[in-house]
Amino acid sequence: MKNRNLLAAVFGAIAVLTSSATGAKDWTHVKVGIEGAFPPWNLMDSSGKLAGFDVDLINDLCKRAKVGCELISGEWNAMIPSLNAGKFDLVMTLGINEKLKQVVDFTVPYASGVASFLLLRDGPVSSLPMTGERLNLNDKSKADPVMAEIGKTLKGRTVGVVQSTSQEQLINAYFGSDVTVRAYKNSGERDLDLKAGRIDAGFDSGVYGTSVLGKPGNDGLMMSGPLVKGAMLATEVALGMRKGETDLKAKFDDAIRQAAKDGTIKQLSERWSKIDLTPTFDVR
């Protein structure tokens, strides 16, 4: 999922949070920031309207929360500054991360995902180990040897990531001294360079990768390597909000739990990604 972070925006946002926490409000209308360039999570359809898993889900959650929601698209790396400036009240597709907890509050996760590599089938990088298998980076005895092997395979190569994401942070942390990391505004721009041979690999949400492989013109791409979670990866995806909006958080926490319990998240995520992204919290 674009289980994603806006780490580049964190330190600028800290200054905004030096003021006192926001007081309780009677929420009837909420502005929701959503990128619109990260399929199948969110995208612009042929008519220029927002669509995707995030869009279907937030419409459902807003009904459950009895709140009118206005969806507003914007560039990803501007989402948190815009949130804390009051342009949005909620931000979709925000990966839960300790750095971001310093500047925003999160709902409970509405999706649980993984990250993986994208390669050219006939490209310069050979297949990576543990393709299609889940790997938790927090299990260091198992994960570290696998990541070391991946690092050897990628040494001297260029890896494309989306800027201000936990995927960018991971590639820098694990392989930054051995690979060239190239950051892009969005996944689509990165994929164009991958297919053109200007970069050697991409690293992104596994849900995004699954979606891309099913689209015309992408026959030359493949997912390779483990389906990764843990460490600094923000694979638990939630709604972000300004600090102290406790009433708003409670409304949407409850709505998310209801949608998980009755199977709505499973249905919508499988419709858009073919993967059940139901979050890992106890929904009984």
Side-chain angles (χ1 to χ4, degrees), residues 256-271:
I256 291 167
R257 290 183 182 277
Q258 290 177 30
K261 186 175 182 179
D262 69 15
T264 297
I265 293 176
K266 174 180 169 64
Q267 176 189 357
L268 292 178
S269 61
E270 288 182 342
R271 172 190 170 192

Side-chain angles (χ1 to χ4, degrees), residues 242-257:
R242 289 181 294 275
K243 286 284 188 181
E245 302 284 16
T246 54
D247 288 352
L248 186 62
K249 174 176 166 57
K251 282 179 178 288
F252 280 89
D253 279 355
D254 185 55
I256 291 167
R257 290 183 182 277

Side-chain angles (χ1 to χ4, degrees), residues 119-134:
L119 302 177
L120 284 173
R121 290 188 182 278
D122 299 320
V125 178
S126 59
S127 295
L128 301 173
M130 287 191 68
T131 293
E133 299 179 49
R134 289 185 177 261

Side-chain angles (χ1 to χ4, degrees), residues 41 89 95 98 125-126 128 158 203 221 229 243 249 251:
W41 296 87
D89 302 302
E98 292 303 316
V125 178
S126 59
L128 301 173
T158 300
F203 188 65
L221 296 178
K229 68 184 308 177
K243 286 284 188 181
K249 174 176 166 57
K251 282 179 178 288

